[in-house]
Amino acid sequence: MAKARRQTRQLEVVWDAIKDETSHPTADRVYEKVREVVPKISLGTVYRNLQKLVAEGRLQVLTLGRTQHFDPLVRSHHHFICRSCQTVYDISVDSKDYVLPFTVPEQGFTVNSHELTLYGTCKNCST
Amino acid sequence: MAKARRQTRQLEVVWDAIKDETSHPTADRVYEKVREVVPKISLGTVYRNLQKLVAEGRLQVLTLGRTQHFDPLVRSHHHFICRSCQTVYDISVDSKDYVLPFTVPEQGFTVNSHELTLYGTCKNCST
DNA sequence: TTTGATGCAAATCATTTGCATGGGT
DNA sequence: ACCCATGCAAATGATTTGCATCAAA
């Protein structure tokens, strides 16, 4: 049987806080934002709900350094990270002509997904 | 003036421990290995020397989850991570014609490097 | 001798977890 | 009522850092 999914105010508020974010916030950042609506929410609950959303495929996780960033844009896309200001930009893959034919090390390997990250300098930091 | 580079036994031993590794060891794993040669070395020193090697471009860092893995293979290559056993495989890029060209979000962005990671199931885990 | 490198332990940072209580269903 | 979700605080895991001492140069 499927696990009971429970509709709580906290989960709803966490989702509302991130669903339209394009800034790839950290859990802590989401916590601050959510606190404005539900001041008594705990950081642990924010983490638990973010995990839940990730498990459901409603969020994607991007690890930068040691910190997780959450990203509601789930359709296939890549990231551009500015080495100067650390800002993460989404790169949508409209022109899929850019997804490449992969060659895997040996026979017997199956590729299910991939992640492409570009590093460089963004517009703002190019001075 | 260039910073004084000091040749220590610890740095040498850390390098020796990792220079031919293909298993993408963590700092802790390197620590264990190095201890066999210099039992009194401290974990902090291992971290400091790994950082040093990374700064010099002799090692590459690969972050999996919250943990850094170190990789002496510095020539351009990608990674294949098995979702089942978490093993990291190197994929060398002989034909570099294989990722570029990139389309960046807007004008004014400069791409210096990129990282491509493939996820899937490796030979051993395919049963 | 000078001062960067080390060993040790305590500190930090992000995240997770145990447990008693609260609130969906 | 059942039992998942929450709040709180303590625990964890990886990495970093302060400081006195050591050892390359």
Side-chain angles (χ1 to χ4, degrees):
Chain A
M1 57 288 208
K3 55 193 78 170
R5 163 153 308 302
R6 221 168 254 193
Q7 158 74 12
T8 66
R9 174 118 181 84
Q10 286 87 340
L11 177 57
E12 180 198 341
V13 169
V14 167
W15 174 243
D16 284 347
I18 199 173
K19 67 164 188 278
D20 296 320
E21 267 304 332
T22 60
S23 65
H24 308 80
T26 60
D28 220 75
R29 193 65 205 74
V30 173
Y31 175 55
E32 288 173 27
K33 192 170 172 187
V34 153
R35 250 158 156 347
E36 295 169 11
V37 184
V38 183
K40 297 194 73 67
I41 198 170
S42 74
L43 182 56
T45 295
V46 170
Y47 270 102
R48 280 184 285 232
N49 283 326
L50 287 172
Q51 282 173 184
K52 206 165 299 185
L53 293 168
V54 170
E56 284 174 21
R58 300 213 267 162
L59 292 180
Q60 219 177 268
V61 186
L62 176 65
T63 303
L64 297 186
R66 210 141 294 99
T67 312
Q68 301 180 182
H69 293 244
F70 298 87
D71 188 348
L73 180 58
V74 161
R75 84 169 190 282
S76 177
H77 70 287
H78 301 310
H79 291 112
F80 175 95
I81 300 176
C82 177
R83 283 224 152 89
S84 174
C85 66
Q86 317 308 322
T87 301
V88 181
Y89 297 84
D90 287 326
I91 304 180
S92 20
V93 187
D94 310 309
S95 39
K96 50 265 163 193
D97 44 27
Y98 114 67
V99 181
L100 0 125
F102 298 118
T103 317
V104 205
E106 302 173 50
Q107 307 271 322
F109 284 68
T110 314
V111 177
N112 298 316
S113 64
H114 64 274
E115 233 170 63
L116 177 62
T117 308
L118 309 183
Y119 295 89
T121 310
C122 76
K123 201 176 186 172
N124 298 333
C125 294
S126 293
T127 318
Chain B
M1 53 298 200
K3 55 194 79 169
R5 151 154 315 300
R6 220 169 256 195
Q7 159 74 12
T8 67
R9 174 120 179 83
Q10 287 86 339
L11 177 57
E12 180 198 341
V13 170
V14 167
W15 174 243
D16 284 347
I18 199 172
K19 66 164 187 280
D20 296 319
E21 267 303 333
T22 60
S23 65
H24 308 80
T26 59
D28 220 75
R29 192 66 205 72
V30 173
Y31 176 55
E32 287 173 29
K33 194 170 171 188
V34 154
R35 250 157 157 343
E36 295 168 12
V37 185
V38 183
K40 298 195 72 68
I41 198 170
S42 73
L43 182 56
T45 295
V46 171
Y47 271 102
R48 279 183 287 230
N49 283 325
L50 287 172
Q51 281 172 184
K52 206 166 297 186
L53 293 167
V54 170
E56 284 173 22
R58 301 212 267 161
L59 292 181
Q60 220 177 269
V61 186
L62 176 65
T63 303
L64 297 185
R66 209 142 294 96
T67 312
Q68 301 180 183
H69 294 245
F70 298 87
D71 189 348
L73 180 56
V74 160
R75 83 167 191 284
S76 177
H77 70 287
H78 302 309
H79 291 112
F80 175 95
I81 300 176
C82 177
R83 283 224 152 88
S84 175
C85 65
Q86 319 307 321
T87 300
V88 181
Y89 297 85
D90 288 326
I91 304 179
S92 23
V93 185
D94 310 309
S95 38
K96 52 259 161 196
D97 44 26
Y98 123 65
V99 167
L100 320 176
F102 298 119
T103 319
V104 206
E106 302 174 49
Q107 306 272 322
F109 285 69
T110 314
V111 177
N112 297 318
S113 64
H114 64 273
E115 235 170 62
L116 175 63
T117 308
L118 309 182
Y119 295 89
T121 311
C122 77
K123 201 176 187 172
N124 297 332
C125 294
S126 294
T127 318

